[in-house]
Amino acid sequence: MDSREFNSMLLNRFPSIKESFEEATSWQGGIDTGSTIVLEDVLMPYLLACFEKKITNELDDIFVFIEECVLSSDKYCRDVIEVSVIENIYSYDVRDELSAMLLPKSKESYLSISKSV
């Protein structure tokens, strides 16, 4: 998997982020923009907005997506989600609430990261 494939998968899974994606990547590489940037600049703000607005069905889907990526046999997929989302969660004031929503394997990854910080 590469950035293009990951970003396409992300947009297919979350069509509601398409406008934010286009805005964030229009001056970069578009669909080829590094997935780390896309996750940090598009998915994380979307996750936080869903959290603030208590949009539970979308939050559930985001956390399932995170878990699927962590469980993926694709190293790029695992690495990009761990660096850009799971590590990122630790930097927010609401990290306890967000980390409580993580599913088993992504929670394990989060706990491993939080011990090293």
Side-chain angles (χ1 to χ4, degrees), residues 36-103:
T36 299
I37 294 166
V38 170
L39 290 170
E40 291 175 359
D41 292 352
V42 179
L43 186 66
M44 287 307 296
Y46 182 66
L47 184 155
L48 292 170
C50 290
F51 176 77
E52 289 173 11
K53 296 175 184 172
K54 298 178 181 9
I55 306 173
T56 55
N57 59 331
E58 197 68 6
L59 279 171
D60 290 345
D61 197 26
I62 293 168
F63 284 101
V64 167
F65 175 77
I66 293 167
E67 185 76 354
E68 290 169 357
C69 289
V70 170
L71 292 170
S72 173
S73 61
D74 187 279
K75 183 173 176 12
Y76 180 82
C77 187
R78 284 191 318 270
D79 289 350
V80 76
I81 207 77
E82 287 180 341
V83 168
S84 303
V85 176
I86 295 174
E87 280 186 27
N88 228 343
I89 287 173
Y90 190 79
S91 67
Y92 292 104
D93 291 339
V94 292
R95 68 178 150 264
D96 293 339
E97 294 91 336
L98 294 176
S99 66
M101 293 182 217
L102 290 167
L103 298 174

